[in-house]
Amino acid sequence: MLDRIGGLLAPILPSRFRPGVVVVPVVRLSGIIGFTTPLRPGLTLSSVARSLERAFTWPRGKAVALVINSPGGSAVQSHLVFRRVRQLAEENARPVIAFVEDVAASGGYMIACAADEIVCDASSILGSIGVVGGTFGFNRLIEKLGIERRLYTSGERKAMLDPFLPEKPEDVERLKEIQQEIHEGFIALVKSRRGAALAGPDETLFSGEYWTGQKSLELGIADRIGDLRSTLRERFGEKVATPLVSAERGFFGRRVPGVGRAQLGQWWGGGAGSGFADEVLSAIEARALWARYGL
């Protein structure tokens, strides 16, 4: 009876709801990871959790497609998104296919590793399996300007790497130890997900270098060259439906994770000066991160 009703309604139903149509929900994961300001929401677990939940529980869904375009960012947020994708994939027994657009580097590549298959364009950028951190030193500038730095701490290492104090070798060494620990975790994650597919030496694969999609295929950090439409049609048939699962819309019709109307009002109000400065600096840092990959 249900099949008969479905057949009668098929001509007026959207294609993804018609009987016999294979559905592969699509979730877009783009932007700098964990890099969020009031007007420039970044890619975080909180911003994509709902979309991922909907995609993996979509009725009659046969797989989930992740469209990734990210130069990386926060190691923690990258790993949180990675873990959520794997948890949902295992709970719902659905395969995951990652489609890389311009770039899936550093944390962006970590998220791509949550997929069972990584598809990219020949000119996509993948890799950068490493850890980077940077800051500026202003201690000579404030001396030149006659500014006295006053800092009060409890704990001898609390002010480690303060940009207004001279750099200490022991502080740099401690930072490098932390980076090395994070890097080792990243390497273990890639090896656990890519396994025997990896074709290059560790010194190359995990040096922090990045490659085009074609070279990534040779190194085993990607599986095939292609695009979402042709790949899914080849895999699931010409009538495959690929609904885009978007995040909920917030104030001003856009997704603003963790920022409500009151916070935006404060940003535009008394705190607008500092808010504008933060936005400018954030834009510069974001531009620098994308530019690292020639984008």
Side-chain angles (χ1 to χ4, degrees):
M1 176 63 73
L2 290 176
D3 291 340
R4 183 180 178 185
I5 294 174
L8 293 173
L9 293 176
I12 62 173
L13 288 173
S15 60
R16 62 180 181 271
F17 295 123
R18 294 174 187 171
V21 173
V22 175
V23 180
V24 180
V26 178
V27 179
R28 179 172 292 277
L29 304 174
S30 61
I32 299 175
I33 303 168
F35 193 86
T36 300
T37 65
L39 298 184
R40 191 183 297 272
L43 174 57
T44 64
L45 177 60
S46 64
S47 70
V48 301
R50 179 58 181 155
S51 297
L52 291 173
E53 292 271 357
R54 291 174 58 204
F56 278 98
T57 57
W58 197 279
R60 297 185 294 113
K62 296 298 182 182
V64 171
L66 305 178
V67 177
I68 299 174
N69 194 12
S70 173
S74 164
V76 173
Q77 289 297 322
S78 301
H79 194 232
L80 288 174
V81 174
F82 167 88
R83 289 183 61 186
R84 182 60 60 86
V85 171
R86 290 312 314 154
Q87 289 166 356
L88 290 169
E90 292 165 11
E91 290 169 5
N92 296 280
R94 293 190 181 180
V96 184
I97 308 172
F99 294 91
V100 178
E101 292 189 327
D102 297 286
V103 59
S106 195
Y109 184 70
M110 179 184 288
I111 293 175
C113 283
D116 301 297
E117 183 179 4
I118 299 177
V119 182
C120 61
D121 186 82
S123 298
S124 297
I125 298 296
L126 292 85
S128 192
I129 305 169
V131 181
V132 64
T135 183
F136 296 91
F138 298 102
N139 55 298
R140 293 183 180 178
L141 175 63
I142 64 175
E143 288 177 4
K144 185 176 181 180
L145 295 175
I147 300 172
E148 180 183 354
R149 173 65 164 158
R150 295 177 180 176
L151 188 65
Y152 310 100
T153 67
S154 176
E156 59 179 340
R157 306 298 291 277
K158 186 64 177 177
M160 186 178 73
L161 297 176
D162 184 291
F164 296 101
L165 295 175
E167 186 177 74
K168 297 180 181 180
E170 60 268 29
D171 292 348
V172 176
E173 185 62 30
R174 176 60 181 140
L175 176 62
K176 288 185 176 181
E177 289 175 3
I178 294 172
Q179 289 180 323
Q180 183 62 31
E181 185 176 346
I182 297 172
H183 191 196
E184 290 172 358
F186 195 175
I187 293 171
L189 181 149
V190 173
K191 286 185 173 181
S192 70
R193 293 298 302 161
R194 300 298 300 167
L198 296 174
D202 286 5
E203 300 78 38
T204 299
L205 291 173
F206 307 125
S207 66
E209 188 177 355
Y210 49 89
W211 306 274
T212 63
Q214 189 62 55
K215 183 64 176 179
S216 298
L217 198 63
E218 298 172 16
L219 293 172
I221 66 172
D223 296 296
R224 62 178 291 177
I225 301 298
D227 62 88
L228 185 144
R229 187 172 185 270
S230 60
T231 299
L232 294 184
R233 286 192 167 196
E234 176 186 322
R235 190 75 47 86
F236 299 105
E238 291 293 320
K239 294 184 179 180
V240 62
T242 56
L244 178 63
V245 185
S246 302
E248 301 91 336
R249 296 293 179 179
F251 193 43
F252 291 137
R254 61 185 297 178
R255 177 65 173 165
V256 188
V259 179
R261 193 179 299 235
Q263 286 81 359
L264 281 172
Q266 183 179 12
W267 191 89
W268 286 111
S274 60
F276 178 74
D278 288 344
E279 283 292 322
V280 170
L281 291 174
S282 296
I284 293 172
E285 291 178 1
R287 182 64 261 163
L289 189 51
W290 284 104
R292 184 179 299 164
Y293 303 102
L295 300 170

